[in-house]
Amino acid sequence: MSTKTEEPGTEHLSPFQAGLLAQVRRRPGTGVYVDHVLIGLTGTLHPYVLAEAWRELTYRHAALRAGIRDHADGSAACRSDGRPVWRAVDWRATRESVREARLRERLDRERAHGLPLDGTPLSRTLLMRCGEQDWTLAWRFSRLVVDQWSAAVVVAELFETYRALLAGRCPKPATVPRYPDGLTARPVPARTPRSRAAGGPVPDPGLPARALPPARRFPPVPDDERPPHHATPFDAVDLDLGASAAALRRMCRTHGMVPAAVLHAAWLMLRPSGAGGRPACEAVLPRRPAGQPGTWDAVGSRETAVTLPAVPDVPRPLLPWLDELSGRLTDAVGSAHSVPGSATADSAVFAGEAELPRPDLLDLGLKVTAAHYDARPHHALALHLRPGQDLPVRLTYDRTRASRSTAERLTARLRDLVGVLAGASPRTTVAELGAGA
C-alpha cells in the first residue's frame, strides 16, 4: 500500500494490487485470490479469549480491517476503517466423516462467493468446535490486502496475543518470521569459480553430470474430473524435489545462484511462450526495499511481479542465463516499488512464501495439530515455491483449463528437469536442455 489520500484511513492501491483487483473482477464466482488459512487445534481452548485476541490483532494491523472502495472517477482505494468479522459454530453433534465433507463444502462455497468489494473488510474468521477437545480455525482473506508472508505473521501474533490475554498481560507484537531469503537471495559461493571469460565456472565435483532422478509414479486420476457445482475450479498437486533439491542447493552454493532462479528456469522450459512470442510466465515475489531490515513488523500486501523472458533459442550457455534470471529476481525483491502483474501470462511462479508457524502451546493445554495455507491465483497453472529442506513445490491449476493428470505430469517432469539443471556441465547450452524438456 502506498501514498495516503486526503481522506483519513484511505490508501491508494499499489500497481500490483490494482492488477489483482482487475483479475478478481474479471473472474467473479471462481474465488481467485481468496486465500484460506486452516489451523487445527486440540486441547483446552477458550473461544472468547481467542476472539478477543483476534480483535486485538485487527486493531494492530490495518490490513485486517481493510476493504476496497470504488471512487466516482472509476478508481479504487483501500479503506481500513472496518470492523473485524468473527464467527463461531459448534459441530460436535456431526459425525467426523460428515463434518470434514461439510467443512470442505462450506469453504469451497465461501471461496466461490468471494469477498465483497464494498469497502467492508476483506477478511473473515470462523472458529469451529469439532469435538470436546478439537477445534478448527478457518481464516479467509483476499490477497488484495494480505500476502502469504503477512499471513504467517498474523498466525504467530494471534497465539502470542492469546497467551498474553490468558496470563492477564498486555499483548505485544510477536517476533515476526524472517523473509524467506533461502529462495530469493544469492548464497555465498562455497569457493570462487573461474571467470566465465576463461571458459566458465568450475563445476562442482560432487555433482554428477546431468544426473536424472528416477521418475515418481502417481496413481491414475480421471482426466474428466470436475469440482462440484458449488466449488471453485481450482485444485493443487504437492511435490518434494527430493534428491534434486540437494543437487540444486550444492549448485547454488558453488556458483552463487539464486535457488528460485533455477526453479523458474525449469518452469520456463516446461511452459511454452505465449501467442506472438510474448512471455507466458511471470514471477511473483515479496518486496523488501533496500535499507529495510530482514523483517517488516507490519501486515499487508507487499508483492511485485517480474515478467520472465522466453527460453532463449540461441546456443547460449546455461550459467549466464541463470545469472540473468537471478539478477531479475533479486532486483525485484530489493525494489521499493511494486510492479503490476501481466494480464497476458497464463502461468506464474510464486517465490518467497513463508511457512505457517506451529507455536508451542503445551503450557496452555493446547496443541497446534495442523497449519495449512491454500492459495488460488487466477493463472491456469501456478507454481508455488515453499520453504523446506527438500524445496517442496505446489502446483495449483484451473480444472476448467487443465486436468489433474496434466498437473501431476508437469510436477514430475519439473523434479527431473531440476536435477538435470543442477548437474549440467557449464559448457551445456540452454537449447540443449530445452530440447530435452
Side-chain angles (χ1 to χ4, degrees), residues 195-277:
S195 66
R196 291 176 184 159
V202 178
D204 188 345
L207 293 179
R210 301 192 64 167
L212 193 65
R216 178 179 298 182
R217 296 188 179 274
F218 295 94
V221 178
D223 289 349
D224 59 350
E225 179 183 76
R226 289 294 182 269
H229 70 279
H230 60 266
T232 61
F234 296 99
D235 202 355
V237 175
D238 291 332
L239 176 71
D240 285 339
L241 295 179
S244 298
L248 172 58
R249 291 190 183 277
R250 289 197 300 267
M251 174 195 181
C252 292
R253 287 196 302 267
T254 301
H255 303 302
M257 296 289 181
V258 177
V262 182
L263 290 163
H264 280 79
W267 184 248
L268 286 173
M269 291 181 179
L270 294 177
R271 298 292 300 143
S273 298

Side-chain angles (χ1 to χ4, degrees), residues 382-405:
L383 190 70
H384 302 260
L385 312 183
R386 305 162 70 193
Q389 186 63 31
D390 291 334
L391 298 179
V393 298
R394 170 175 292 168
L395 177 64
T396 59
Y397 63 97
D398 186 341
R399 283 186 280 192
T400 64
R401 293 183 280 177
S403 66
R404 184 172 183 86
S405 62

Side-chain angles (χ1 to χ4, degrees), residues 223-437:
D223 289 349
D224 59 350
E225 179 183 76
R226 289 294 182 269
H229 70 279
H230 60 266
T232 61
F234 296 99
D235 202 355
V237 175
D238 291 332
L239 176 71
D240 285 339
L241 295 179
S244 298
L248 172 58
R249 291 190 183 277
R250 289 197 300 267
M251 174 195 181
C252 292
R253 287 196 302 267
T254 301
H255 303 302
M257 296 289 181
V258 177
V262 182
L263 290 163
H264 280 79
W267 184 248
L268 286 173
M269 291 181 179
L270 294 177
R271 298 292 300 143
S273 298
R278 293 176 297 180
C281 181
E282 63 183 359
V284 180
L285 303 154
R287 284 184 298 125
R288 186 182 54 197
Q292 292 285 349
T295 57
W296 256 339
D297 57 354
V299 170
S301 176
R302 291 181 173 85
E303 293 177 307
T304 190
V306 179
T307 301
L308 298 179
V311 178
D313 53 4
V314 297
R316 185 179 184 185
L318 174 65
L319 292 180
W321 181 51
L322 293 179
D323 253 348
E324 179 186 348
L325 289 177
S326 296
R328 290 196 181 203
L329 298 180
T330 53
D331 290 346
V333 171
S335 172
H337 304 287
S338 173
V339 178
S342 170
T344 61
D346 65 348
S347 77
V349 181
F350 290 78
E353 296 186 343
E355 185 177 8
L356 291 178
R358 295 194 180 193
D360 185 2
L361 305 173
L362 293 180
D363 59 317
L364 305 179
L366 196 62
K367 181 180 179 181
V368 178
T369 57
H372 179 64
Y373 185 94
D374 187 14
R376 292 292 184 265
H378 74 275
H379 306 88
L381 295 167
L383 190 70
H384 302 260
L385 312 183
R386 305 162 70 193
Q389 186 63 31
D390 291 334
L391 298 179
V393 298
R394 170 175 292 168
L395 177 64
T396 59
Y397 63 97
D398 186 341
R399 283 186 280 192
T400 64
R401 293 183 280 177
S403 66
R404 184 172 183 86
S405 62
T406 299
E408 291 174 339
R409 186 166 59 252
L410 278 173
T411 53
R413 292 176 62 188
L414 176 74
R415 182 199 60 241
D416 295 345
L417 185 54
V418 168
V420 172
L421 289 172
S425 166
R427 293 182 294 275
T428 303
T429 63
V430 179
E432 291 174 352
L433 291 177

Side-chain angles (χ1 to χ4, degrees), residues 18 88 101 111 114 122 154 166 170 175 220 222 307 317 325 382 398 417 424:
R111 185 196 296 275
L122 295 175
V154 170
L166 282 179
C170 180
T175 302
T307 301
L325 289 177
D398 186 341
L417 185 54

Side-chain angles (χ1 to χ4, degrees), residues 118-140:
D118 58 0
T120 57
L122 295 175
S123 176
R124 303 289 187 273
T125 312
L126 177 67
L127 178 64
M128 292 159 284
R129 186 166 190 175
C130 305
E132 294 300 328
Q133 297 284 309
D134 297 322
W135 310 76
T136 298
L137 180 67
W139 174 33
R140 177 168 49 110

Side-chain angles (χ1 to χ4, degrees), residues 89-107:
V89 295
D90 191 338
W91 286 358
R92 283 179 290 179
T94 308
R95 295 195 309 274
E96 182 177 359
S97 58
V98 177
R99 184 170 59 238
E100 292 177 357
R102 185 179 174 186
L103 173 60
R104 288 194 300 268
E105 178 182 351
R106 176 166 183 162
L107 294 180

